[in-house]
Amino acid sequence: MTVTLADVAARAQVSPATVSRVLNGNYPVAAATRERVLRAVDELDYVLNGPASALAAATSDLVGVLVNDIADPFFGIMAGAVQSEFGGPGGRAGGERLAVVCNTGGSPERELTYLTLLQRQRAAAVVITGGAVEDPAHAEAMAGKLRRLGEAGTRIILCGRPPVPDTGSIALTFDNRGGGRRLTEHLLDLGHRCIGYIAGPEERTTTRHRLEGHRDALKAAGVDESETVHGPYDRQSGYEAARELLRRDPDVTAIVAANDTVALGACAALREAGLRIPEDVSVAGFDDLPFSVDVVPALTTVRLPLHEAGARAGRIAMGREAEPPGKVAVIPGELMVRGSTARPRA
Amino acid sequence: MTVTLADVAARAQVSPATVSRVLNGNYPVAAATRERVLRAVDELDYVLNGPASALAAATSDLVGVLVNDIADPFFGIMAGAVQSEFGGPGGRAGGERLAVVCNTGGSPERELTYLTLLQRQRAAAVVITGGAVEDPAHAEAMAGKLRRLGEAGTRIILCGRPPVPDTGSIALTFDNRGGGRRLTEHLLDLGHRCIGYIAGPEERTTTRHRLEGHRDALKAAGVDESETVHGPYDRQSGYEAARELLRRDPDVTAIVAANDTVALGACAALREAGLRIPEDVSVAGFDDLPFSVDVVPALTTVRLPLHEAGARAGRIAMGREAEPPGKVAVIPGELMVRGSTARPRA
DNA sequence: CTGTTAGCGCTTTCAG
DNA sequence: CTGAAAGCGCTAACAG
């Protein structure tokens, strides 16, 4: 029914082994023979059977990319960058790898489930992006899973997430803490003393690190922390949190949001409340997503090199770039000062 | 080395077949036996070998989702919705399907390559999202590939893309033409007579249909078409196109953009040119992405039910929803009138 | 309800 | 450089 490697072999008048060799190109084959085989492949419209191949070779060409929220450009940009490093010049079989992105939706269970599914497929590598959930039980389960994956030969790269020791995984970590600190320092420098903070979901590493940076800056300046509200990383959450912040303390002169999307929601709430940005309230985000420079006023934020980090993760996954020394690289963020922050009203 | 199904069978004192049956849950097994097997699985930390299973069963639990640009929320939202219909309550093996999203970057070659890779994996279903490239050679190649995939038992769902006849594929198509028409009618109603158009990339079905709708409205109103500029679906393109439009015709009173992201770029260019929105120039987008309601002024646009469409595609892929009559469903867009459009200056 | 028996289609030593 | 043969780990009849 469906054409197999044996059919190709018959047609090309060679043995199945030879066909396999030319397809994988990892073994010397006479040019004339190769030609004949390739022709047969074309004529028969043959497509390699992935599972059979993976079974026999005990490895597959699948690379998994786990993201917390595929609808969020933060993850989309990283995932796209990871994939951009695969698949060479679109040739025939060759070094093609199927980069597959899996959406955990931020759920710890789904994260584990996807890892199992990937383990099942004997994935060549797994790139896990974005903040981790800090629940101890889940952290332990993850560490165990990662270790087993690593032992089974799957390369693991953590991208934008803290290292998990003793699992053989490689981590490219964003300096969320440093970025958070610089952002608040900027606001402090402008003269703000009452800074509301809209944090991300609790028990998330990104949330905690950004918040810690914020507090570091406050403490260094001897300024008391104002109100802090937690919520998911979406615009709705920013909208509601800003209203809550205003209710708790109508005198806030600045609001720092967990990320740019949240900041956008916060801006909407402020405007609805009749407050001007930045004249009445300054607003800052995090990540520097593409839209952030275009909103009005343009958003002050911390730029994270999402594309670069993802691309690097992709290269490491492909074995095309050496792993960083100590298996960990810290990637700094860059403060982008724009129109949404200014001196507080006198 | 790595634990196999045979190991589990030995430990549970049953035959491999029985283990397979409890794992797949598609065959009656005595409760006590099942318990024993499950315990052995846990104790041995056994993970099914996907390739072996796929090879023997001649099907896999992979579902591919092709997107043109994973960094664009338009696709992220649909892809996330597709996946949301898979994987039940996160149970053990069960009906889990590995939904994998593949980023074509809008390249026809990569689209074909991914389809081949998916065919190789014997994917259970493939969901292809977003506009198609209209180049005849590519269209033919795609039709052939889709037909072969279908024959091999892979279910194909086109989501947000026109049907491809005679391939057995199912299409959930957005009414881009109708949406485009209503949008321009809205502008015409407001009194605009000189409407610049920033179209998407040439040879894309979405581009063509939206543009046709625009022209339909113009023609029905007896208004001449103004300038039209083509470009990719990103903010940069919108920015440049708007400048170009202004250069060609400084008297435009309204600009319709290919989508919301492009509209945002266009807004930035207008503002730079000292033009107010909507007082001097009205701007409209398409898609109604999450940020569109939050930008200032809020964007008039055509809402496409991306999540609903993706979810439906996911359900069809899972075989949990009947295919639409005639294998084609047309999904309408909804005009969202907001602050970025108003009467032209007198 | 459970065990036995063949493969699924490919890769990979091992010879030639 | 090429062929022969032995599985990879699992599923699916077919008996019992």
Side-chain angles (χ1 to χ4, degrees):
Chain A
M1 214 297 341
T2 138
V3 18
T4 75
L5 183 144
D7 299 330
V8 176
R11 172 142 198 150
Q13 319 225 54
V14 294
S15 74
T18 301
V19 177
S20 171
R21 297 200 259 252
V22 342
L23 255 25
N24 290 294
N26 53 4
Y27 214 82
V29 174
T33 316
R34 133 173 294 109
E35 263 322 302
R36 207 140 30 90
V37 170
L38 257 21
R39 186 143 18 91
V41 166
D42 270 3
E43 290 168 354
L44 264 47
D45 217 6
Y46 169 69
V47 175
L48 186 70
N49 182 317
S53 164
L55 173 58
T59 63
S60 86
D61 52 3
L62 260 194
V63 174
V65 181
L66 261 54
V67 301
N68 288 336
D69 180 5
I70 197 175
D72 185 340
F74 175 85
F75 293 99
I77 291 169
M78 277 196 289
V82 173
Q83 293 189 309
S84 71
E85 294 294 327
F86 300 162
R92 136 167 293 90
E96 286 300 349
R97 267 170 160 30
L98 215 204
V100 303
V101 359
C102 309
N103 187 29
T104 66
S107 145
E109 295 78 44
R110 289 182 67 82
E111 187 168 73
L112 253 5
T113 303
Y114 269 123
L115 250 16
T116 301
L117 252 22
L118 255 7
Q119 182 179 1
R120 225 182 246 186
Q121 303 298 328
R122 304 307 190 245
V126 174
V127 177
I128 308 180
T129 65
V133 170
E134 294 200 297
D135 172 66
H138 179 247
E140 191 183 342
M142 277 294 282
K145 182 75 66 197
L146 294 184
R147 190 169 336 102
R148 261 168 278 127
L149 264 168
E151 282 164 4
T154 298
R155 207 175 324 218
I156 318 240
I157 298 102
L158 272 15
C159 183
R161 158 177 304 217
V164 182
D166 306 322
T167 54
S169 59
I170 294 161
L172 306 179
T173 311
F174 292 126
D175 181 18
N176 284 306
R177 186 161 182 159
R181 185 167 39 65
R182 277 195 292 286
L183 196 51
T184 297
E185 282 170 357
H186 160 67
L187 258 9
L188 255 12
D189 286 349
L190 286 174
H192 293 275
R193 290 298 174 269
C194 185
I195 307 175
Y197 194 94
I198 305 178
E202 309 231 33
E203 300 212 320
R204 250 337 182 324
T205 53
T206 19
T207 300
R208 182 164 63 78
H209 293 151
R210 290 177 188 184
L211 188 48
E212 284 174 358
H214 170 66
R215 288 175 174 154
D216 288 351
L218 251 22
K219 174 173 278 184
V223 173
D224 282 344
E225 184 175 348
S226 305
E227 298 292 335
T228 294
V229 178
H230 283 269
Y233 281 120
D234 58 35
R235 70 88 41 187
Q236 168 84 355
S237 152
Y239 177 85
E240 286 163 9
R243 288 166 61 101
E244 174 65 20
L245 243 27
L246 250 23
R247 193 174 313 128
R248 290 199 201 164
D249 182 356
D251 293 329
V252 286
T253 62
I255 290 182
V256 175
N259 71 15
D260 291 354
T261 306
V262 172
L264 209 55
C267 286
L270 293 176
R271 256 184 236 107
E272 260 190 37
L275 267 14
R276 292 164 305 163
I277 304 166
E279 292 81 358
D280 298 318
V281 180
S282 286
V283 176
F286 211 109
D287 294 347
D288 195 24
L289 296 184
F291 66 73
S292 302
V293 67
D294 280 331
V295 298
V296 179
L299 208 55
T300 290
T301 187
V302 175
R303 160 171 293 177
L304 256 23
L306 301 174
H307 188 90
E308 292 77 356
R312 189 167 170 198
R315 269 178 268 123
I316 296 175
M318 287 288 274
R320 290 220 313 261
E321 177 172 323
E323 51 187 53
K327 289 185 182 285
V328 178
V330 175
I331 301 175
E334 181 187 0
L335 178 66
M336 308 296 288
V337 175
R338 297 202 271 243
S340 69
T341 50
R343 320 196 139 276
R345 54 177 184 272
Chain B
M1 214 290 349
T2 138
V3 21
T4 75
L5 183 142
D7 299 330
V8 176
R11 171 143 201 150
Q13 319 224 54
V14 295
S15 75
T18 301
V19 177
S20 170
R21 296 199 260 254
V22 341
L23 256 25
N24 289 294
N26 53 2
Y27 217 81
V29 174
T33 317
R34 134 174 293 109
E35 264 321 304
R36 205 141 32 90
V37 170
L38 256 21
R39 186 145 17 92
V41 166
D42 271 2
E43 290 168 352
L44 265 42
D45 216 6
Y46 170 69
V47 174
L48 187 71
N49 182 317
S53 164
L55 173 57
T59 64
S60 85
D61 53 3
L62 259 194
V63 175
V65 181
L66 261 55
V67 301
N68 288 337
D69 180 6
I70 197 176
D72 185 340
F74 175 86
F75 293 99
I77 291 168
M78 276 196 289
V82 172
Q83 292 190 309
S84 71
E85 295 294 327
F86 298 163
R92 132 167 297 90
E96 286 298 348
R97 268 169 158 31
L98 215 205
V100 302
V101 359
C102 309
N103 187 29
T104 66
S107 144
E109 295 79 42
R110 289 182 67 81
E111 187 167 73
L112 253 5
T113 302
Y114 269 122
L115 251 17
T116 300
L117 251 23
L118 255 7
Q119 181 179 2
R120 228 183 241 186
Q121 303 298 328
R122 304 307 190 244
V126 174
V127 177
I128 308 180
T129 65
V133 170
E134 293 201 296
D135 170 66
H138 178 247
E140 191 182 342
M142 276 295 282
K145 181 85 40 216
L146 293 183
R147 190 169 335 103
R148 261 168 277 128
L149 263 167
E151 283 164 2
T154 299
R155 209 177 321 221
I156 316 236
I157 298 102
L158 274 13
C159 183
R161 155 177 310 215
V164 181
D166 308 321
T167 54
S169 59
I170 294 160
L172 306 179
T173 311
F174 292 127
D175 181 19
N176 284 306
R177 186 161 181 159
R181 184 165 41 64
R182 278 194 293 286
L183 195 53
T184 297
E185 281 170 358
H186 160 66
L187 259 8
L188 255 11
D189 286 350
L190 285 174
H192 292 276
R193 289 299 175 267
C194 186
I195 306 175
Y197 194 95
I198 305 179
E202 310 232 32
E203 300 211 322
R204 247 343 179 320
T205 53
T206 20
T207 300
R208 182 163 64 79
H209 293 150
R210 290 177 188 184
L211 188 48
E212 283 173 0
H214 170 67
R215 287 176 176 153
D216 288 352
L218 253 21
K219 175 174 278 182
V223 172
D224 283 343
E225 183 177 348
S226 305
E227 298 293 333
T228 294
V229 177
H230 283 269
Y233 280 121
D234 58 35
R235 68 91 38 189
Q236 168 83 354
S237 153
Y239 177 86
E240 284 162 10
R243 288 167 63 99
E244 172 67 20
L245 243 29
L246 249 25
R247 194 175 311 129
R248 290 199 202 165
D249 182 356
D251 294 329
V252 285
T253 62
I255 290 183
V256 175
N259 71 14
D260 290 354
T261 306
V262 171
L264 209 54
C267 286
L270 292 175
R271 257 184 236 105
E272 260 190 35
L275 267 14
R276 291 164 307 163
I277 303 166
E279 292 81 358
D280 297 318
V281 180
S282 286
V283 176
F286 211 110
D287 295 345
D288 195 25
L289 297 185
F291 66 73
S292 302
V293 67
D294 280 331
V295 298
V296 179
L299 209 54
T300 291
T301 186
V302 174
R303 160 171 294 179
L304 255 24
L306 301 175
H307 188 91
E308 293 77 355
R312 187 168 173 197
R315 268 178 268 123
I316 296 175
M318 288 288 275
R320 290 220 313 262
E321 176 171 324
E323 50 187 53
K327 288 185 182 285
V328 178
V330 175
I331 300 175
E334 181 188 358
L335 179 64
M336 308 297 287
V337 175
R338 297 201 272 242
S340 70
T341 51
R343 319 196 140 276
R345 53 177 185 274

